[in-house]
């Protein structure tokens, strides 16, 4: 027997029904904000991903050499592919350019609940603007996409990497020292952050201030710590403006969080994350912010920002909240009572199908009792029983599968009945 590759999943018809339902909702929300969908290949040149993140990222990728000797990788995310596409073909488009995507990604991660080697992301890129209202709208789009799927319990956290890096500089921390601290900050291991700062020789008072900043939600306090740095002051103003705009988008449940560092190395300035606290360890549903890739890919510099939502975790979060996904519904199940009525039965089924009415028909030549049992097991709303007596009147018996009530309906009136 063959087995699934580690970290991948099969999806049952019920899973797919849930997934497609949520995917459709997400698409509709992106479109309602004026975003247009793009698609890029499942694999790219390996260099696309090492260009910014360095060779170190190869350990986390599915990379391979093809028969022509090209170094390729299955995409671990879609921002770099979409930006490659932008630089190649879309630079001349009117700005701002709003692009969204939905696609599978591959990472050589250690699989666990909410963490897979093949998973799906829904995300977007906003090109050509860096006004506070653009960022506020971007955050609100991520929030709306998640809320419109039916999720109730989500939290928005907003941070800023320029401010964080200004604080690093103020503490005289070298790049290597910062690299050592970042994973600890990311995992909110603040005791370890403190010990490490101590090892780096940072004064006790500064250690405490730094930890305070990482955990503060107070913008005035933040501002007082970066007064020395003009760029960071500018980012404080931006952050303030973004936050002032959020009520306009009905976002109440947000926090300032300077400990957001983001996994990939693209980001700069404003960053944000959305969590589903119910999910435990793998609770991050969405990550995004402003980033810089276009110049690296050889394009003309222009501001870019975006986010990626973990689609699989969104489904998990909905399941955890016991969201009532709509059940699959087959509108009608046609049952010919004998072999001689097969032809008329198929004509009826085809007539309904041509009107986009979900219709199935007994293909096993079963008796009515067994056919009805099957119709009930596949959740058909109604059964259309095609019998010789009724057909003489050009009619069929339509049975409501829930109540068991039956009524005689003229064949010509069937489409209208199910519409
Ligand atoms: P990232 O591209 O790392 O910012 O990830 C964006 C989102 O994708 C995360 O917030 C997660 O929800 C989701 N995600 C990342 N890696 C995985 C994975 N291995 N399995 C499932 N979802 C993931």
């Amino acid at each position: 027997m063959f087995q699934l590759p580690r970290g991948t999943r099969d999806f049952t018809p019920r899973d797919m029904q849930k997934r497609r339902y949520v995917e459709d909702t997400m698409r509709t929300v992106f479109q309602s904000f004026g975003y247009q969908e793009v698609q890029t290949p499942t694999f790219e040149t390996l260099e696309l991903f090492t260009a910014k993140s360095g060779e170190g990222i190869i350990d986390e990728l599915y990379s391979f050499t093809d028969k022509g000797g090209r170094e390729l990788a299955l995409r671990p995310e879609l921002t770099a592919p979409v930006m490659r596409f932008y630089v190649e073909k879309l630079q001349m488009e009117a700005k701002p350019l709003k692009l969204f995507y939905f696609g599978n990604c591959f990472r050589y991660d250690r699989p666990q609940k909410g963490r897979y080697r093949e998973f799906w992301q829904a995300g977007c890129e906003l090109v050509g603007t860096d006004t506070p209202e653009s960022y506020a709208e971007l955050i609100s789009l991520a929030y709306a996409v998640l809320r419109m799927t039916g999720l109730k319990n989500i939290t928005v956290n907003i941070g800023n990497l320029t401010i964080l890096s200004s604080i690093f500089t103020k503490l005289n921390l070298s790049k290597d020292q910062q690299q050592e601290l970042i994973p600890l900050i990311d995992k909110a291991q603040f005791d370890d952050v403190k010990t490490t700062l101590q090892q780096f020789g940072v004064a006790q008072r500064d250690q405490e201030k730094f930890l305070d900043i990482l955990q503060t939600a107070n913008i005035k306090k933040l501002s007082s710590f970066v007064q020395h740095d003009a760029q960071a002051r500018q980012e404080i103003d931006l952050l303030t403006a973004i936050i002032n705009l959020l009520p306009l988008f009905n976002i109440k449940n947000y926090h300032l969080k300077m400990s957001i560092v983001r996994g990939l190395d693209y980001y700069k300035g404003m960053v944000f994350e959305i969590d589903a606290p119910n999910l435990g360890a793998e609770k991050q549903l969405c990550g995004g912010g402003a980033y810089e890739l276009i110049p690296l890919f050889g394009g003309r510099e222009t501001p870019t920002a975006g986010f990626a939502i973990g689609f699989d975790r969104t489904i998990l979060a909905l399941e955890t909240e016991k969201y009532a996904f709509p059940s699959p519904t087959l509108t009608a199940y046609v049952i010919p009572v004998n072999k001689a009525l097969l032809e008329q039965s198929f004509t009826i089924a085809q007539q309904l199908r041509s009107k986009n009415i979900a219709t199935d028909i007994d293909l096993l030549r079963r008796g009515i009792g067994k056919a009805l049992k099957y119709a009930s097991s596949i959740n058909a709303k109604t059964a259309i029983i095609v019998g010789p007596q009724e057909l003489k009147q050009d009619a069929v018996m339509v049975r409501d599968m829930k109540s068991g009530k039956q009524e005689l309906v003229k064949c010509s009136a069937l489409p209208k009945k199910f519409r």
Side-chain angles (χ1 to χ4, degrees):
M1 248 218 332
F2 295 112
Q3 277 180 352
L4 265 178
R6 192 164 138 80
T8 66
R9 289 153 298 156
D10 292 319
F11 300 105
T12 63
R14 178 67 181 137
D15 293 335
M16 282 315 294
Q17 207 246 342
K18 289 181 182 178
R19 291 172 71 88
R20 289 289 187 229
Y21 173 76
V22 174
E23 186 185 326
D24 288 348
T25 308
M26 289 183 167
R27 272 211 175 84
T28 308
V29 181
F30 278 117
Q31 283 161 350
S32 77
F33 276 66
Y35 280 75
Q36 302 182 80
E37 188 165 5
V38 287
Q39 196 169 41
T40 58
T42 308
F43 55 86
E44 297 273 353
T45 56
L46 174 63
E47 221 190 327
L48 180 71
F49 304 108
T50 54
K52 184 90 180 186
S53 308
E55 299 282 312
I57 195 164
I58 295 177
D59 289 345
E60 297 167 36
L61 295 180
Y62 276 90
S63 56
F64 56 99
T65 311
D66 78 358
K67 295 191 177 83
R70 300 170 194 90
E71 297 267 18
L72 301 171
L74 298 182
R75 60 187 178 199
E77 50 91 32
L78 279 123
T79 296
V82 171
M83 283 302 111
R84 171 201 48 73
F85 181 26
Y86 169 80
V87 170
E88 272 186 49
K89 300 231 175 69
L90 303 172
Q91 287 200 79
M92 301 306 286
E93 298 287 316
K95 303 290 182 316
L97 185 61
K98 291 175 147 185
L99 305 172
F100 81 94
Y101 58 78
F102 187 90
N104 52 349
C105 302
F106 306 83
R107 294 186 193 174
Y108 201 74
D109 255 329
R110 176 178 291 190
Q112 54 183 289
K113 190 170 183 209
R115 182 167 290 279
Y116 312 100
R117 288 185 171 175
E118 184 191 26
F119 62 99
W120 275 255
Q121 282 189 344
C124 67
E125 314 302 341
L126 174 63
V127 187
T129 171
D130 57 2
T131 57
E133 56 272 29
S134 312
Y135 294 146
E137 191 195 64
L138 187 74
I139 297 169
S140 79
L141 169 59
Y143 185 77
V145 169
L146 289 168
R147 288 279 298 164
M148 292 300 279
T149 64
L151 271 182
K152 291 198 176 76
N153 194 356
I154 54 174
T155 330
V156 181
N157 293 307
I158 305 170
N160 190 294
L161 294 187
T162 307
I163 297 173
L164 188 68
S165 107
S166 162
I167 297 167
F168 278 147
T169 312
K170 195 173 179 197
L171 296 179
N172 282 324
L173 297 172
S174 70
K175 276 271 170 276
D176 284 348
Q177 289 175 326
Q178 295 178 21
Q179 285 307 324
E180 206 171 312
L181 281 170
I182 280 172
L184 302 176
I185 297 172
D186 191 27
K187 292 193 195 100
Q189 295 170 344
F190 297 122
D191 286 344
D192 296 336
V193 171
K194 192 160 194 287
T195 320
T196 311
L197 285 174
Q198 211 156 354
Q199 285 162 7
F200 293 161
V202 172
Q204 175 90 16
R205 221 192 53 199
D206 285 343
Q207 288 170 29
E208 270 151 28
K209 214 165 190 177
F210 184 58
L211 285 170
D212 200 16
I213 283 166
L214 288 182
Q215 294 168 86
T216 190
N218 184 326
I219 203 150
K220 283 212 184 90
K221 212 173 192 177
L222 272 180
S223 175
S224 70
F225 209 67
V226 296
Q227 278 311 311
H228 63 288
D229 182 337
Q231 214 187 348
R233 280 204 312 270
Q234 226 175 1
E235 292 289 334
I236 292 271
D237 291 345
L238 177 70
L239 196 56
T240 312
I242 294 171
I243 284 166
N244 288 339
L245 284 164
L246 291 181
L248 191 68
F249 296 101
N250 240 340
I251 300 184
K252 293 181 195 95
N253 202 6
Y254 71 86
H255 306 276
L256 277 190
K257 193 173 165 194
M258 284 306 125
S259 59
I260 296 180
V261 286
R262 308 288 309 124
L264 295 168
D265 322 284
Y266 306 158
Y267 295 90
K268 54 154 211 179
M270 190 278 294
V271 283
F272 70 99
E273 292 178 348
I274 303 181
D275 294 341
N278 291 342
L279 284 186
E282 303 304 324
K283 65 176 186 221
Q284 197 195 304
L285 291 183
C286 170
Y291 61 89
E292 204 165 62
L293 275 181
I294 291 177
L296 186 74
F297 291 175
R300 255 187 324 279
E301 201 163 343
T302 183
T304 39
F307 63 78
I309 290 176
F311 180 72
D312 310 85
R313 287 186 196 172
T314 307
I315 304 278
L316 283 177
L318 283 165
E319 286 170 345
T320 309
E321 287 190 2
K322 304 240 176 313
Y323 177 75
F325 289 93
S327 297
T329 44
L330 184 75
T331 307
Y333 187 73
V334 181
I335 306 172
V337 306
N338 64 48
K339 220 166 75 180
L341 298 170
L342 274 177
E343 207 170 293
Q344 281 108 317
S345 301
F346 271 103
T347 308
I348 290 170
Q350 289 298 94
Q351 185 195 7
L352 295 178
R353 287 167 173 172
S354 73
K355 299 272 186 302
N356 247 338
I357 296 161
T359 307
D360 199 359
I361 183 165
D362 178 42
L363 294 174
L364 280 176
R365 303 184 177 185
R366 276 181 285 220
I368 297 188
K370 279 194 178 152
L372 281 174
K373 218 167 163 187
Y374 177 76
S376 146
S377 78
I378 57 170
N379 276 330
K381 266 205 249 165
T382 56
I384 298 177
I385 302 161
V386 184
Q389 296 304 61
E390 292 82 0
L391 268 190
K392 271 189 202 142
Q393 306 167 54
D394 214 9
V396 288
M397 200 56 94
V398 175
R399 179 190 178 96
D400 184 298
M401 291 301 294
K402 217 181 210 161
S403 67
K405 271 195 197 137
Q406 299 199 156
E407 61 170 322
L408 197 67
V409 179
K410 284 268 179 217
C411 290
S412 56
L414 279 175
K416 210 164 150 207
K417 171 157 180 66
F418 293 118
R419 192 70 64 60

